Every structure is written in C-alpha cells, then in structure tokens.
Amino acid sequence: MDYSKYFKKLLEKQKKQKSNFPKKKEFEYREGKYHAQSFQYEQVRYNFVISSDRSTTYGNDFNGLIVEVYINEKNYYESYFNQLKIHQESIENELTTKNIVWQGKGESAKGTVCRIFAKKEVDLEDETKWDEYINWQIDTMIDFLKVMPTYTSKLEKKEIQEMDHQELESKFREYLVKMGHSQATLSTYPNMLKRDIPETMESIENTFPDTVFKIQNIEKLNNLYDRCFNGDLKDFNLKTQNRAPSAAIKKYISFLQSLDLTRVKNTSNSHEIKIKNLMLYGAPGVGKTYNYKNLITMIESGDKNIKEILKAVEDENDIEINHDLFNQIKKEDRIEFVTFHQSYSYEDFIEGYRPSEDEDRIVRKDGIFKIIAEKARINLENSLKDELVIQEEKRTINIFEEFCEYVSNKIVEDSKLTLTDAVYIYEIEEDAFRYKGDNWSEHERGLRMKFNDIFEFYKNDIQERKQIKHLEKISSLSKQHATYYFKLYQLFKEFKSKKNDKNIKVEKSEKQNYYIVIDEINRGNISKVFGELITLIEEDKRDKYSVTLPYSKEDFYIPSNLYIISTMNSTDKSIATIDIALRRRFTFIKMKPKYSLVEDNEARELMIELNEFIEDNIGEDYKLGHSYFMGEDIDLEFIRNYKLKPLLEEYFYADDEKLKKIMNLLNKEED
C-alpha cells in the first residue's frame, strides 16, 4: 500500500475546503510516515491516520481509517482526557459522526497518550473507492472541529500542581512560626485542620477528606469558612475557644496564597514555547525589524512549536504578517519597543531616579522593562488565582481607593492624618502616602509609605505589629517604621469593616503573553543596562528566582509569559565578539538576504553580484539585505548612488583596489 499516494490525494482535497478548518491551516504530509499529522488547536492535536498492522494502537485486527483528537501534552494528557470524559455524552450527541472510541491511559500500545477517535473499516487496496474514503475522513474531521474545540478550550491544568498534604502541613507550621504566632496557636491551628474539622465533617459529609490539608482549592476553603458563620458549622465554630475552626481555615487560606504556587508553567498556548529570549541578527536590510512582528504573531497564535517558528522566519519565502493580531496585542498594551544606544542605562531600562516633570525635585521612576514585566507578572498570577480570591482582591482595591479619598479629605480638613502623637500623614502620591514627624529635620519632605506594603499586611492577615518583621515582600522601611505602618493598616481595616459591597463581578483572567522588543541590542552596554537581571532573564530562572531592586527595594522576578525579542546588526559587531552573557542567554536567528523577495530582475542581478563579491572579500555578515532592492517601480540609479555607494565605501575604505572593483560592479551598465 502506497500511503504517500493516498495522503497526497487526501491533502489536495482538504486544501479545497480549508475555510472549514481553524485559521485556514492545512494538514501536512510527512515523508516516511504512514499518517498525515494536522495542527495543534485549542490544547489538542487533530490527526488523519491509516490503521494497519503497523499501528497496534488501534488494535491488531483493525485495518481502516482513523480521524482523531490526540491528547499528548506531557503531564496533562490523562487529566485532559478525564475532563473531556465528563462531557462524553454531550460530545457524542453533538457529533454527527458515529463509531466514536474513547481510548484512555493504558489502552494504547505505549500507554502514554489518550485519544478520542472515529474509525471506518475499509479496503484501501481498492483505489476506485479512495474518493469515498477521503470524503469520509474530511467530513469527519470537519465534524470534530465544529464540536471539540468548545470543550478542549476549557481544559484546566491547575490540579497537577497540588502539593502532598503532609508537606503542606509541615510548611504551614513553618509559616505560623515565621509569622510570630504563639505556641498555643502553633498547636491549635494545625490540629484543627487535620483532626477536629474532619472529625466534625465526618457526620455531615462522608466524602470529606481526612485532613483539610488535602484541600487546596481556595473556593472550597472559602465555602468551608462561610459555613462556620452562616451554615451547618456555625455551632461547632462558636463552641470552640476564639472561633478556632474559622480562624484556622482563614489562616490556611492566607498561607496558600503566600506560597505563590502561581509561579509555575505556561498554561495558555497550545504549544509551550520554552525559548523566551530571541535574537534576530544579520546585515542591514535583511528584515530584522520586519520579522520581529512575524515572530510575535506566530508565538501569539499558538499553532507552531519553536522549531517551526524559527524555520518560518529563516525561510526564503516571504510570510504575510497577521497585522490584525499584532495590532490587537498593541491595543491591549502587551508590547513595548526600545532602541539601545551607548548612553542607555539601568535607570532607563529598570528603575532609577529622574527629575519630576511636574515638580522641582528628583523622584524614582520605573523603566520600560520593569513596567512590561510587572504587567506580565500580574496577568500570570491572576490567571492562576481562584475567582473568589480575585473578587476579594478587587473589592479590597476598591475600598482602598475610597480609603485614600478619606485620608485626602482629612488632610484637607486638618492638614494631616495623625498616626501617633508626633507622626502624621500629610500628602498622598500615586502609589504611596507621605508621612513625617515633627522633629524629622533630616527628612524635610518626609518618607513614603507604599500602598503595596499595606496590601501585603492585609494579604497575610497581620494581627500584631511584631508579625510585620517576618514578611518578605515588603520594603525595609515598613519594618523599621512598623509602628506607623501598623497604625495606618488598623485604620484601613476599621474603614473596610464598615463596607458591605461584596457583590463585585469579576472574570477570571486568561494568561496572555507580553513582549519587549529591543532594537540594536548590541549597541548598549549589556552589563550596565541589565545589571543583576541578566541572570533572571534565563528561561529556567523565570518565575523561580527574584532579586531586591536597589532603588525601590521591591522583590522582583521575571515572569515566564514575557518574551524578549532583540535585533542586532552583525556588521556592527559579530556574534563572536558580543557580550558573552548575552550570547549564552539568547537563541540566535540569522537573517539572510532573500533574493526571491526582489521582484525587479535588474535589481536582483545587481544584488547577487555585489553580495558574491562582499562574501568573498569581507564575509557574509556584510552582505546587502533585500530591503534595499524592494518596492514597486524602484529607482535603481537612486539606490546605487544614495543607498549603496556610501555603505560600500565604508565597507572597503581601507582597501582602494577592492573599493574600485566593487564600484565597477555597482555602476556596471547592462548590455
């Protein structure tokens, strides 16, 4: 049986119906294989397959055609399959195709994938029926693509990241010690979670786990907490000293949120692109700046792996950029563009002190990289939070804004908001309160009490001033001046307790990619611009390692959903001589002149001749890019005199003989 002959005919017919396929993608026949693989779409893969004696996966006794949804993502295939199995009846009712097989883990030959497929037993040796068979495969695939994406787009990965309950209990005890809790609390809270609450729940719910530490879903824990006040656990909660059940659950919720389990893997795009730092390099005019848009749109669409993306960029054929997608990313403020130069610094890129535009003073300002990294971090963390957690955070932010307005009014009325007998708040800035003391001559303008520090107190449910010193994600000043900070925090909690607007509707954030494009990266002093962050940009350091920034003293890490795309002019500096730190941390994509993109025959011939001479004499890194020779109705005489001549004179300024030769080539008249 000639599989390639059948599949080539199948794919020719499929191309005629490409409007029925997502993003109009086409299947691809791979030489040497007996099936044609499709594209990845909405977290799974779709395949056309021929089942034969060579494909034991479908059963040794079955020879025929297969159309399948193939679930193969490492660590998640069984989870995905089980989630889809919940909707098995609905899926099969919606599919017009029959003979659906659900093949779970262990049922295939290797036992390492799961799949859902439709099968049709046929005699493929009979070529007169090939049209009939091909029509069945294409119609079945279209049917799958109409129904399955609704279900596969909602597949979740969150359950994979759960921690062993014994490890969780141990970390919870460490957390209580770190937060400065008394010895009594160190015993009461863990015992309440692993013994008292489960024993009480045993008579109410026979499916309740034998320890609360097995529950890591915030929504379930919040529900359990609410039942302690307004439900079937109210009497149990009131009978214990200091309402220990509800207090233990609340502290456990705070602990889970502090763990930062959100710093994990990319969970949105179909293809996990592990390469985050990409460098487009080459001579002038080869399309480096043009192709950064190409790179971004291919990463964003999620239907190619990194090898396919790099091949597409390096390919000799032009690729039409999805401008609508790129403009949407810009509209959503998920991309930043910057050009490096010799005087560009860490203070420009990360953070530093700059003159204020509005006031006659120096203020700290965030740089372009820190701004985009913070946007990416917030999105990543929110995408992995429970909706109820996001709802409570949103409510707290809204009330904090009202609290700031309250403080502002007090300052207007009384010129200050008193914290202690000698210390008071006298001004509110965009992200902080300004406070000072009557006798603080060394701090004439006072000090800044950042909003983020107050939020961290609230997130960690601080009850006593001494607990502040155990927090990590706060400024050093908040620990030095804990008395003043704690006083304001108490005022905020009191203000918040009087608010009852709990009905805030929020939608769970979807994880998105963010991009920073650095043009001419080799023109900057890399060590000077990146500073300590040069280590954190590495792919295996993302989400895991953080540093304390020197100016703001903030804890900062680089999230995995931030891509750094750079361009480098190789005539300026070869790869061999660029900063070794940069070379090791980036994946380099060489952009070469593409003669096929030059439509004008005379221009193309000139480009080829000049580049052959350049490559032979000074190296291929100096070859002329195609952009010099592109465009409709180009004026080749103008290009020769005003674009190419100055550049070639610079290339060969030290060698009169070679300069004369290349000028002869440049000005050669066609016969």
Side-chain angles (χ1 to χ4, degrees), residues 401-445:
E401 289 173 356
E402 293 181 34
F403 178 68
C404 288
E405 188 176 342
Y406 160 77
V407 173
S408 179
N409 291 336
K410 289 289 289 181
I411 293 171
V412 171
E413 293 171 8
D414 305 327
S415 76
K416 61 184 178 181
L417 174 70
T418 301
L419 297 176
T420 67
D421 291 342
V423 177
Y424 53 89
I425 291 173
Y426 73 95
E427 185 182 325
I428 300 180
E429 296 180 346
E430 184 180 357
D431 62 343
F433 301 101
R434 275 212 170 261
Y435 68 104
K436 63 181 179 179
D438 291 331
N439 301 315
W440 290 8
S441 56
E442 73 275 22
H443 298 297
E444 185 179 345
R445 290 211 69 253

Side-chain angles (χ1 to χ4, degrees), residues 288-298 321 323 326:
K288 299 185 295 294
T289 305
Y290 175 86
N291 269 288
Y292 87 75
K293 295 181 181 179
N294 194 9
L295 264 178
I296 288 172
T297 53
M298 284 192 287
I321 291 173
H323 290 286
F326 184 79

Side-chain angles (χ1 to χ4, degrees), residues 158-339:
K158 60 185 180 182
E159 65 209 39
I160 305 302
Q161 299 155 12
E162 290 190 352
M163 193 182 293
D164 177 78
H165 67 90
Q166 292 176 329
E167 182 185 358
L168 208 55
E169 180 186 338
S170 175
K171 288 186 177 294
F172 180 62
R173 291 179 184 275
E174 292 173 8
Y175 173 78
L176 295 177
V177 172
K178 195 173 182 182
M179 294 301 294
H181 283 279
S182 65
Q183 194 61 44
T185 306
L186 292 175
S187 172
T188 301
Y189 283 1
N191 287 337
M192 189 59 64
L193 294 172
K194 75 172 185 177
R195 184 190 64 201
D196 297 349
I197 294 176
E199 286 178 359
T200 302
M201 290 299 296
E202 190 176 2
S203 60
I204 301 173
E205 293 179 15
N206 56 16
T207 59
F208 194 84
D210 57 1
T211 172
V212 177
F213 290 110
K214 287 185 177 180
I215 305 175
Q216 297 170 42
N217 183 295
I218 303 294
E219 184 176 355
K220 289 180 181 178
L221 291 167
N222 276 324
N223 177 261
L224 195 64
Y225 178 77
D226 290 340
R227 287 165 68 179
C228 289
F229 289 98
N230 303 306
D232 51 0
L233 297 176
K234 184 175 181 180
D235 290 341
F236 166 60
N237 193 43
L238 292 174
K239 286 178 183 177
T240 56
Q241 186 177 10
N242 298 323
R243 298 179 178 178
S246 59
I249 294 168
K250 186 176 182 181
K251 185 61 66 176
Y252 179 53
I253 292 172
S254 298
F255 159 69
L256 287 177
Q257 293 169 343
S258 74
L259 272 182
D260 221 3
L261 291 174
T262 58
R263 296 189 184 187
V264 287
K265 303 172 184 176
N266 182 329
T267 60
S268 98
N269 279 355
S270 304
H271 280 284
E272 171 68 16
I273 306 293
K274 294 181 180 178
I275 303 299
K276 306 296 179 182
N277 308 319
L278 295 158
M279 177 81 72
L280 297 168
Y281 75 101
V286 291
K288 299 185 295 294
T289 305
Y290 175 86
N291 269 288
Y292 87 75
K293 295 181 181 179
N294 194 9
L295 264 178
I296 288 172
T297 53
M298 284 192 287
I299 292 169
E300 190 71 15
S301 63
D303 58 0
K304 286 184 175 66
N305 60 38
I306 188 62
K307 289 183 180 178
E308 291 170 329
I309 289 173
L310 298 186
K311 184 178 183 302
V313 173
E314 290 180 325
D315 197 78
E316 285 296 316
N317 299 318
D318 191 17
I319 299 169
E320 185 177 348
I321 291 173
N322 187 337
H323 290 286
D324 289 340
L325 180 56
F326 184 79
N327 290 333
Q328 182 63 31
I329 298 168
K330 286 180 65 178
K331 186 178 178 182
E332 293 172 357
D333 210 18
R334 294 193 283 121
I335 183 170
E336 293 286 358
F337 186 96
V338 63
T339 301

Side-chain angles (χ1 to χ4, degrees), residues 355-381:
S356 171
E357 296 175 3
D358 305 317
E359 303 174 51
D360 186 21
R361 60 190 177 95
I362 301 295
V363 297
R364 186 188 60 78
K365 289 187 177 181
D366 291 338
I368 193 169
F369 183 78
K370 184 183 176 187
I371 290 170
I372 192 73
E374 283 293 284
K375 288 178 185 176
R377 177 191 64 78
I378 291 168
N379 170 261
L380 177 63
E381 294 183 354

Side-chain angles (χ1 to χ4, degrees), residues 559-575:
S560 55
N561 58 335
L562 175 64
Y563 287 83
I564 303 173
I565 298 174
S566 306
T567 71
M568 188 186 89
N569 187 341
S570 58
T571 60
D572 258 358
K573 191 185 287 187
S574 73
I575 290 184

Side-chain angles (χ1 to χ4, degrees), residues 128-156:
T128 63
K129 293 188 177 182
W130 277 12
D131 284 338
E132 175 193 330
Y133 300 158
I134 286 170
N135 286 338
W136 178 83
Q137 280 201 295
I138 291 175
D139 290 345
T140 302
M141 184 61 76
I142 291 171
D143 192 24
F144 268 44
L145 289 168
K146 283 180 179 176
V147 175
M148 295 304 303
T150 303
Y151 297 93
T152 60
S153 63
K154 297 175 182 176
L155 296 172
E156 298 181 4

Side-chain angles (χ1 to χ4, degrees), residues 606 609-610 636-637 640-641 645 648 659-670:
L606 176 63
E609 289 185 359
L610 291 174
L636 196 54
E637 191 63 29
R640 280 190 172 108
N641 290 326
K645 184 180 177 182
L648 296 173
L659 178 60
K660 183 178 179 181
K661 287 180 180 179
I662 199 162
M663 286 300 159
N664 288 337
L665 283 176
L666 179 67
N667 299 309
K668 185 176 71 172
E669 296 292 334
E670 294 295 323

